[in-house]
Amino acid sequence: MNALSEQERLARLRLARTDRVGPITFIELIRREGSAAEALERLPELSRRAGGTGVTPPPEARIDEEVKRGAALGCRLIVWGDADYPKALAALDAPAPVLWTRGRTDLLSRDALGMVGARVASASGQRFARGLAAELGRSGFVVVSGMARGVDAAAHEGALPTGTVAVLGGGVDDIYPSDNATLYDRLIEDGCVVSESPVGARAQARDFPRRNRIIAGLSRGVIVVEAELRSGSLITARLAAEQGREVFAVPGSPLDPRANGTNDLIRQGAILCEGLDDVLRGLEGQGGLFEPRDRWGQSDRRREPEADLADRVLALLGPTATSRDEIIRATSAPAGAVAGVLLELVLSGQAAFTETGGVLRL
């Protein structure tokens, strides 16, 4: 892999910060155009071709300011395509375009397991999370979590001596919740803090699903310790399953609402986890997971798609997400041509990629 020039790295950051350019759009634009710099040049044209009003990247000054803020804090920027971009994350259909890190970036290249659970966790749940995280660390795994109260904090504490990664919803400098400030200081000293958001950004509700996707994406599997039936931890578990990761759930008393979610995961096929041995057995035979996949092949911008292909694709879309493979089969068009049309529809604001790679009409 050739090293990216600094100009291209900054172009990738700028492309990632452009409205309507999510992870899937980001990757497909670079594959189609050859570089982020070329993609930025072509953005207005591509969006207008599908009837949009044009997409304008953020000013270069805004990107320069973000980079300066990161440098002032001693943060490190990793963009998709860098040699040290985490291989586990790169294997996703739509990896995070950019990552800001503080602390031991080397931890991102090691085998990892995610651990999540209830914020208002029981004392026994926190004790179990802390103890299992310590055992996982001694077995050679980095423990990844979200630095939330309860199970997340306990998991980080247990794994700090051996290596732990905290993925934040806000910027890499956003200490949330604030009562985890001491834990944050220890993480940037002995562990690693990671965020896809701009430096200085404060976490908002829409940021946490992206945060959860990175937790799952960095990990070979995700362990859920306590979770109610409607919780962010179950979202992380679902994302892990969709990414081909193993999902482990710690059983609990049916009298405790915090066990309802984990017990339900077990009913749905998650691996019952009562300790380290269950995790190690569950990971046996897991191979080839982190090989990058290219489901689309290369789309050729020099080849104009059929005149009515955009209309045909748009007619197939609705408010419920449709898989890209299903769209290709329904149109009988080359995958590269469909990829190009979908990019134009997304950039024009008529469609959107979902976090799982589907497409819906706006």
Side-chain angles (χ1 to χ4, degrees):
M1 178 185 295
N2 295 327
L4 298 175
S5 68
E6 190 61 20
Q7 180 183 10
E8 174 63 13
R9 295 181 75 250
L10 293 177
R12 293 190 177 200
L13 176 59
R14 190 180 179 206
L15 183 63
R17 299 296 185 234
T18 301
D19 288 343
R20 300 183 195 162
V21 177
I24 295 176
T25 309
F26 174 90
I27 299 297
E28 297 306 328
L29 277 168
I30 292 176
R31 286 177 175 163
R32 175 186 171 115
E33 303 301 329
S35 70
E38 287 290 329
L40 289 167
E41 289 290 330
R42 292 261 294 165
L43 270 177
E45 176 190 349
L46 289 172
S47 61
R48 284 195 295 267
R49 275 170 53 172
T53 57
V55 174
T56 303
E60 291 184 6
R62 186 185 305 170
I63 302 305
D64 292 341
E65 181 59 31
E66 181 177 344
V67 171
K68 288 178 183 177
R69 287 199 302 268
L73 291 170
C75 303
R76 183 174 179 184
L77 173 66
I78 302 176
V79 303
W80 181 78
D82 277 339
D84 54 355
Y85 188 95
K87 288 183 174 58
L89 207 55
L92 301 184
D93 282 339
V98 300
L99 298 170
W100 280 104
T101 72
R102 291 188 80 178
R104 294 180 53 195
T105 306
D106 64 288
L107 295 175
L108 300 177
S109 64
R110 288 172 45 187
D111 275 354
L113 284 162
M115 189 180 298
V116 295
R119 287 173 168 79
V120 185
S122 68
S124 60
Q126 293 181 60
R127 183 172 62 252
F128 181 90
R130 191 178 298 108
L132 180 57
E135 289 186 282
L136 290 169
R138 289 191 291 269
S139 297
F141 292 100
V142 169
V143 174
V144 183
S145 197
M147 210 183 82
R149 296 183 181 93
V151 167
D152 287 23
H156 289 308
E157 289 165 359
L160 267 169
T162 52
T164 184
V165 173
V167 185
L168 306 187
V172 74
D173 55 337
D174 182 29
I175 304 175
Y176 180 83
S178 58
D179 50 0
N180 276 346
T182 300
L183 173 60
Y184 177 89
D185 290 340
R186 295 174 67 195
L187 283 164
I188 62 174
E189 182 69 27
D190 299 317
C192 184
V193 178
V194 177
S195 176
E196 186 180 0
S197 298
V199 179
R202 294 294 171 251
Q204 300 182 45
R206 66 173 182 268
D207 298 319
F208 291 103
R210 293 190 298 118
R211 185 275 305 266
N212 295 343
R213 191 169 190 276
I214 293 174
I215 292 174
L218 287 170
S219 308
R220 292 182 60 185
V222 169
I223 304 162
V224 185
V225 177
E226 288 182 340
E228 296 194 18
L229 283 173
R230 294 181 180 273
S231 70
S233 299
L234 296 191
I235 294 174
T236 307
R238 173 178 61 79
L239 292 170
E242 290 170 350
Q243 294 169 7
R245 275 59 171 162
E246 299 292 352
V247 177
F248 302 87
V250 178
S253 167
L255 301 178
D256 188 343
R258 290 169 293 203
N260 290 347
T262 50
N263 290 345
D264 192 55
L265 284 174
I266 294 169
R267 281 192 290 270
Q268 295 179 49
I271 299 170
L272 184 148
C273 176
E274 293 181 316
L276 177 65
D277 289 344
D278 291 323
V279 177
L280 298 180
R281 279 195 298 268
L283 295 176
E284 287 179 359
Q286 187 188 64
L289 180 65
F290 302 143
E291 293 299 320
R293 293 168 287 175
D294 185 354
R295 295 178 56 193
W296 285 93
Q298 294 294 323
S299 59
D300 189 348
R301 78 179 192 188
R302 294 166 295 182
R303 181 177 176 181
E304 291 295 323
E306 302 169 43
D308 66 340
L309 184 56
D311 291 336
R312 289 162 53 202
V313 169
L314 192 60
L316 293 169
L317 303 180
T320 301
T322 304
S323 76
R324 290 173 281 172
D325 289 340
E326 188 175 347
I327 296 168
I328 293 169
R329 286 194 297 269
T331 60
S332 299
V338 174
V341 165
L342 285 172
L343 275 177
E344 294 169 8
L345 291 173
V346 169
L347 291 170
S348 70
Q350 298 179 74
F353 290 119
T354 67
E355 62 186 21
T356 57
V359 191
L360 52 82
R361 186 168 182 168
L362 298 179

